[in-house]
């Protein structure tokens, strides 16, 4: 009975089954379309998740670059009063060696 129902669907919805893959030909038209919709919604959900991961990773990378830049400036001994005008000019937040650290 199930096989007959599937054959009838293949005949009635011939245009659909001609374009669909073998995976969808194993199901009736309604179940096949529902499966397509579920696959589409899952793909959208997965894509949003990947975008969020990439966004978080790029934000984290920017934070790490800032930390590395600040550490490099401190290691080179660049005083903070030299960096302050650059911070104002470019809108950055770089940290150099403070006056207290230089005096120690």
């Amino acid at each position: 009975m199930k096989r007959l129902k599937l054959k009838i669907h293949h005949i009635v919805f011939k245009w659909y089954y001609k374009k669909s893959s073998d995976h969808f030909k194993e199901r009736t038209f309604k179940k096949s379309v529902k499966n397509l919709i579920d696959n589409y919604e899952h793909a959208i959900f997965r894509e949003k998740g990947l975008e969020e991961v990439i966004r978080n990773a790029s934000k984290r990378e920017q934070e790490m670059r800032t930390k590395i830049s600040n550490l490099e400036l401190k290691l080179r001994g660049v005083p903070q009063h030299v960096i302050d005008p650059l911070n104002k000019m470019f809108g950055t937040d770089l940290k150099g060696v403070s006056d207290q650290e230089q005096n120690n």
Side-chain angles (χ1 to χ4, degrees):
M1 187 67 178
K2 199 175 195 180
R3 195 166 166 79
L4 179 65
K5 185 178 179 182
L6 190 59
K7 281 290 186 188
I8 292 172
H9 274 264
H10 279 255
I11 292 169
V12 173
F13 301 106
K14 186 176 181 179
W15 56 271
Y16 171 76
Y17 287 105
K18 198 184 288 185
K19 294 182 179 186
S20 63
S21 64
D22 292 337
H23 173 72
F24 296 106
K25 292 178 184 176
E26 298 172 358
R27 294 167 173 74
T28 61
F29 179 74
K30 187 176 179 180
K31 288 182 181 178
S32 180
V33 170
K34 184 175 179 343
N35 194 352
L36 275 172
I37 292 169
D38 290 344
N39 288 346
Y40 177 73
E41 289 173 349
H42 178 71
I44 290 174
F45 176 76
R46 186 170 178 247
E47 188 175 313
K48 285 181 182 178
L50 289 174
E51 286 175 0
E52 186 177 335
V53 167
I54 291 171
R55 191 178 323 110
N56 289 340
S58 62
K59 188 186 303 181
R60 181 77 172 150
E61 180 189 7
Q62 185 62 36
E63 290 172 1
M64 289 293 116
R65 283 184 183 206
T66 303
K67 285 182 181 180
I68 290 171
S69 296
N70 289 339
L71 288 173
E72 285 177 346
L73 289 171
K74 283 188 177 190
L75 282 174
R76 291 184 183 157
V78 179
Q80 184 65 39
H81 64 84
V82 173
I83 297 174
D84 286 338
L86 297 173
N87 283 340
K88 287 180 184 175
M89 186 183 309
F90 296 112
T92 57
D93 190 29
L94 298 174
K95 305 275 190 249
V97 180
S98 67
D99 293 331
Q100 294 173 348
E101 290 173 338
Q102 281 181 344
N103 293 338
N104 286 336

